[in-house]
Amino acid sequence: MTVTMDEVLDFIGKLPNAVQVAKVQEASALRLSVIDKEAFAGIVAGRRARINDSLRPALLRGLTGTVQERNRTGSRAGFLLDEESTRILRRDPRNTKYRIPEDMTRFRIPGSGIPVPCLEVIEDD
């Protein structure tokens, strides 16, 4: 027997107290965590990736490089720009945040890493 979304919402709407609603919230949060983990499982250290259009600041969008280690929760990853993207970021007139020496060929984005949903795996050329 398949349960419809309308039936689920109706069931939740009839729960008698906050404790039971909180249990539904907890189960939903756990399920979302599993879905996220599955969706971004391919973003692992050593993979080439592109920063997608959802990242802020916008000047990093479209840059490519190599995924580094993920943080403890797996929600963010270090990111090492490739040579071309390092050059692009160095020359970008909007870049007032990242100081990249002229002799540096690859640049690791500083800080706590890029949010994993902002990275798209790309195939090696």
Side-chain angles (χ1 to χ4, degrees):
M1 176 173 128
T2 303
V3 178
T4 68
M5 183 56 68
D6 287 338
E7 291 171 325
V8 170
L9 296 174
D10 184 53
F11 172 79
I12 293 169
K14 293 178 180 173
L15 291 173
N17 58 52
V19 171
Q20 290 185 342
V21 173
K23 286 181 181 180
V24 171
Q25 284 181 307
E26 185 177 331
S28 296
L30 289 172
R31 180 65 184 131
L32 284 171
S33 177
V34 169
I35 289 169
D36 280 350
K37 187 174 272 188
E38 290 169 355
F40 303 113
I43 299 177
V44 296
R47 293 296 302 265
R48 286 184 26 82
R50 175 176 289 108
I51 299 173
N52 67 32
D53 289 341
S54 64
L55 184 72
R56 287 184 149 169
L59 71 113
L60 297 177
R61 294 175 184 166
L63 297 180
T64 57
T66 306
V67 176
Q68 305 295 290
E69 74 290 337
R70 289 182 55 173
N71 67 357
R72 182 178 49 80
T73 63
S75 62
R76 299 177 80 83
F79 198 70
L80 180 66
L81 295 178
D82 57 32
E83 291 182 27
E84 179 66 12
S85 289
T86 298
R87 186 189 63 72
I88 290 168
L89 183 58
R90 181 187 299 117
R91 304 274 186 256
D92 192 321
R94 299 170 296 171
N95 180 15
T96 58
K97 181 175 181 179
Y98 306 106
R99 300 269 184 217
I100 307 171
E102 287 295 326
D103 63 342
M104 182 176 283
T105 58
R106 300 194 75 191
F107 179 71
R108 182 181 168 110
I109 304 292
S112 60
I114 305 293
V116 171
C118 296
L119 295 173
E120 297 171 357
V121 171
I122 55 176
E123 297 301 318
D124 292 325
D125 297 332

